Amino acid sequence: MPYRSGMDLSLFFVGTGGSVPASGRGLPAVLVRRGGDRLLFDCGEGTQRQLMRMGMFGDFDSVFLTHFHADHWLGLPGMLKSFALRDREQPLTVYGPSGLRELMEAMRVVVYGRLPFELSVVELQAAGRLQRNGYEIVAVPVDHGDRPAFAYALVEAPRPGEFDPRLAEQLGVAPGPDFGLLQRGGTVAGVTPEQVMGPPREGRKVVLSGDTAPCEALRIAAHQADVLVHEATFAAEEAERARETSHSTATQAAELARDAAARLLAITHISSRYSGRELRDEARAVFANTEAPRDFDAIEVPLPERGPARLVQWSGRRAGPPGSERSATALSGDAETVPSP
């Protein structure tokens, strides 16, 4: 199917903590919205509650697990059970590294049993590509211990070049339906699209690291990414601890973003020992265009010619004392919403 221009692309940060939940950060989960597609990357404990607060519970058809440490998938079995109790009918597909089928079968036996909707389980291979409507998801092998672990790259197809209506008229094409035919790749009265269309324009790229030590495969995958979401579990003084656990420091995440010529770095998987601001500042010393999203923040990713990606802070958060951040304790209605792209 041809690329549809103007397609919205946003990332909603459902949980930005790591290993254990903190009062201000849930466990890892990012909801990516592209046009009508909704993709959930990781599903830590409490994800369904977070999605309910955002008014987005069940608003996806695919789940991508980066690896099988509990903080990245433990929210999934309870969510599936909730879907069953709510009589969900929409099919759901869960993707992940090898070992996913065994994990899902164990969860089925212990937690959710029979489901009223179709559940598909797909084990991806390293560097495997999943074709979607106008984009692909690439499973990028990363370095997180002995078991398989993936980052995921969402890569849009190149877009057609800009149409030159004045030139088309000069070549004898009348305004109206024939303009559209040319833009869709057809030939009109001997005039070909190549004569009236500019060079192809790049699509967008978003890369989500999961848990990983700095690695070359991720650097290559993140080349000129519009957004790189990279874990930053530790500060630089904990570099040895990061190495032992196959995680990254904020400095290492920033170095990878710089070397990959990424356009925006969003650091997540923040250890509960940090507020996040100190890790953001550490990363900015290396890569200035760094953000440290908190739960319920979003990143809007416009088409390249419409400007850079930008962080949109959750409107339900209020500022605490200088140097701190805290979440609002009251919600308006059933859910707080992140500003729409």
Side-chain angles (χ1 to χ4, degrees), residues 9-256:
L9 177 60
S10 298
L11 290 75
F12 292 83
F13 292 86
V14 184
T16 56
S19 300
V20 296
S23 60
R25 293 185 186 273
L27 291 178
V30 179
L31 182 66
V32 175
R33 306 174 71 180
R34 181 189 181 272
D37 289 358
R38 306 290 186 265
L39 316 171
L40 183 66
F41 290 85
D42 282 331
C43 188
E45 177 188 354
T47 294
Q48 65 173 311
R49 173 60 176 158
Q50 297 281 82
L51 288 170
M52 288 175 184
R53 294 182 71 185
M54 297 169 75
M56 297 177 181
F57 182 65
D59 189 21
F60 52 87
D61 59 38
S62 302
V63 179
F64 293 82
L65 299 182
T66 59
H67 64 292
F68 304 137
H69 286 160
D71 59 323
H72 288 257
W73 66 264
L74 200 55
L76 185 56
M79 181 180 294
L80 295 176
K81 185 65 175 178
S82 293
F83 286 161
L85 293 172
R86 290 171 174 242
D87 296 322
R88 176 186 173 114
E89 297 180 353
Q90 179 187 4
L92 180 69
T93 303
V94 180
Y95 300 91
S98 61
L100 177 64
R101 291 192 183 94
E102 180 181 0
L103 175 67
M104 294 297 293
E105 177 61 17
M107 287 193 288
R108 184 192 67 79
V109 171
V110 175
V111 182
Y112 59 83
R114 295 183 60 184
L115 297 171
F117 58 91
E118 180 183 353
L119 176 66
S120 301
V121 178
V122 178
E123 292 186 349
L124 299 172
Q125 300 300 312
R129 297 173 181 268
L130 176 66
Q131 297 297 325
R132 307 272 300 197
N133 178 21
Y135 66 99
E136 64 181 8
I137 303 289
V138 183
V140 181
V142 294
D143 179 8
H144 190 52
D146 296 334
R147 300 193 66 181
F150 290 153
Y152 290 104
L154 186 157
V155 184
E156 290 184 333
R159 295 173 293 134
E162 291 192 48
F163 175 67
D164 189 336
R166 180 176 301 178
L167 178 58
E169 286 193 70
Q170 291 174 353
L171 293 173
V173 180
D178 286 346
F179 275 15
L181 181 58
L182 278 168
Q183 293 178 69
R184 292 191 297 272
T187 297
V188 177
V191 178
T192 65
E194 292 76 14
Q195 293 176 271
V196 294
M197 301 286 289
R201 294 171 290 175
E202 65 177 355
R204 292 163 291 190
K205 182 196 291 188
V206 171
V207 179
L208 301 100
S209 77
D211 286 3
T212 183
C215 65
E216 183 67 5
L218 183 57
R219 185 194 66 78
I220 293 170
H223 179 63
Q224 294 186 346
D226 294 276
V227 181
L228 169 61
V229 181
H230 198 294
E231 72 121 292
T233 308
F234 298 106
E237 63 265 20
E238 295 286 345
E240 181 59 24
R241 175 65 174 158
R243 186 191 65 79
E244 291 172 352
T245 56
S246 298
H247 282 292
S248 296
T249 67
T251 294
Q252 289 170 332
E255 290 171 343
L256 190 142

Side-chain angles (χ1 to χ4, degrees), residues 252-326:
Q252 289 170 332
E255 290 171 343
L256 190 142
R258 178 198 63 198
D259 295 345
R263 292 160 184 160
L264 175 66
L265 170 65
I267 56 172
T268 60
H269 204 265
I270 306 298
S271 169
S272 58
R273 72 187 69 187
Y274 307 109
S275 72
R277 183 169 300 177
E278 65 272 61
L279 298 184
R280 181 201 63 188
D281 292 346
E282 177 184 309
R284 283 181 175 178
V286 175
F287 186 79
N289 201 17
T290 298
E291 300 288 357
R294 297 182 64 86
D295 293 5
F296 311 128
D297 287 349
I299 289 179
E300 298 175 351
V301 191
L303 295 170
E305 64 270 21
R306 296 181 182 176
R310 68 185 186 96
L311 179 72
V312 180
Q313 293 185 341
W314 179 46
S315 60
R317 183 176 302 114
R318 66 172 183 267
S324 72
E325 295 179 358
R326 54 197 175 110

